[in-house]
Amino acid sequence: MSYITGFLLPVPAAKKEAYIASARKSWPLFQKYGALEQVETWGEDIPPGKVTGFDLAVKLEPDEVVVFSWLRWPDRATADKCFAEMMNDPDFDGMDMPFDGKRMMWGGFAPVFEGR
């Protein structure tokens, strides 16, 4: 099975188009490193959490929206190589991040079941 890098982050609602443009710009770069798929989703039904929740996880502010996204890789080694090398790749220089990166979280996941 493949490997997934997942992301959860708050984006100012007013910067939706800038976020989409940034995602589109990053896709060819991730493809260059072997990514098979990039999915960016804009929160529409994010119930407020009481103990846990997407809003609490990113410390969502009133003018922000939760974004959930992922990259699919052929395997973990490919993902690890990308993230190890991308900071030194000049193609990644100047990438606009229209959100507070300090409140973004990410992690790598090994699929255990895929229904299609």
Side-chain angles (χ1 to χ4, degrees), residues 88-109:
N88 296 319
D89 186 330
D91 289 340
F92 279 98
D93 283 347
M95 288 293 296
D96 183 30
M97 290 181 31
F99 56 88
D100 181 357
K102 293 176 187 162
R103 292 185 288 140
M104 177 176 81
M105 60 189 68
W106 66 91
F109 300 85

Side-chain angles (χ1 to χ4, degrees), residues 17-32:
E17 293 307 317
Y19 182 81
I20 294 168
S22 177
R24 284 190 174 133
K25 185 177 178 183
S26 70
W27 173 231
L29 303 177
F30 287 122
Q31 277 185 298
K32 177 174 93 170

Side-chain angles (χ1 to χ4, degrees), residues 30-80:
F30 287 122
Q31 277 185 298
K32 177 174 93 170
Y33 282 95
L36 304 173
E37 175 184 49
Q38 177 178 346
V39 177
E40 304 287 338
T41 65
W42 192 258
E44 288 188 4
D45 182 21
I46 310 296
K50 293 183 177 143
V51 177
T52 64
F54 286 112
D55 60 332
L56 299 174
V58 299
K59 297 184 179 182
L60 194 68
E61 295 179 6
D63 63 335
E64 296 176 327
V65 175
V66 174
V67 169
F68 175 55
S69 65
W70 63 90
L71 292 164
R72 180 181 298 273
W73 304 93
D75 51 45
R76 181 176 178 177
T78 303
D80 288 348

